Amino acid sequence: MNQSAGNTHGLRTYLIGFVLALSLTAIPFALVATNALPKSSTLIIIGIAAIIQILVHLRYFLHLDFNSTPRENLLAIMFATILIVIMVGGSFWIMFDLHRRMLT
């Protein structure tokens, strides 16, 4: 009986996370597809939605609690942050280098 309640709570948490992640993906997609806002505003909203989505994934899927952060949670957040910075920074570096090479 107690395990069933734990599974229900876990499923509920995953469903909340899924709905939030889906909404945070659909909003920027709709803004880009419909050109509803100017380009700069759309980029700002996409950036904000991306940051919120990272927090949703950390909270609802990775179960990292921000109130009590033991050392393992802090290390996991720092490792994820370093990986994200390397991936995004590397992608921008490659794209800007290709753009520069295409112009010369």
Side-chain angles (χ1 to χ4, degrees):
M1 181 73 182
N2 194 9
Q3 184 180 8
S4 175
N7 288 341
T8 304
H9 178 70
L11 181 62
R12 183 174 165 224
T13 302
Y14 283 119
L15 286 176
I16 290 171
F18 177 71
V19 169
L20 286 174
L22 194 63
S23 300
L24 289 169
T25 302
I27 291 170
F29 181 78
L31 288 176
V32 171
T34 61
N35 289 328
L37 295 175
K39 188 176 181 179
S40 61
S41 299
T42 303
L43 288 175
I44 291 171
I45 291 174
I46 289 172
I48 292 171
I51 292 170
I52 294 172
Q53 190 159 130
I54 289 171
L55 296 175
V56 165
H57 281 259
L58 289 174
R59 170 70 174 93
Y60 291 103
F61 297 121
L62 297 177
H63 304 290
L64 294 178
D65 190 8
F66 297 114
N67 294 330
S68 62
T69 55
R71 188 179 179 117
E72 293 84 19
N73 287 349
L74 184 62
L75 288 174
I77 291 172
M78 289 175 57
F79 182 69
T81 303
I82 290 170
L83 284 180
I84 289 170
V85 167
I86 289 172
M87 287 190 310
V88 171
S91 297
F92 278 123
W93 181 34
I94 290 170
M95 292 172 71
F96 284 125
D97 188 55
L98 287 176
H99 179 69
R100 185 182 55 87
R101 289 179 187 220
M102 293 293 286
L103 293 178
T104 58

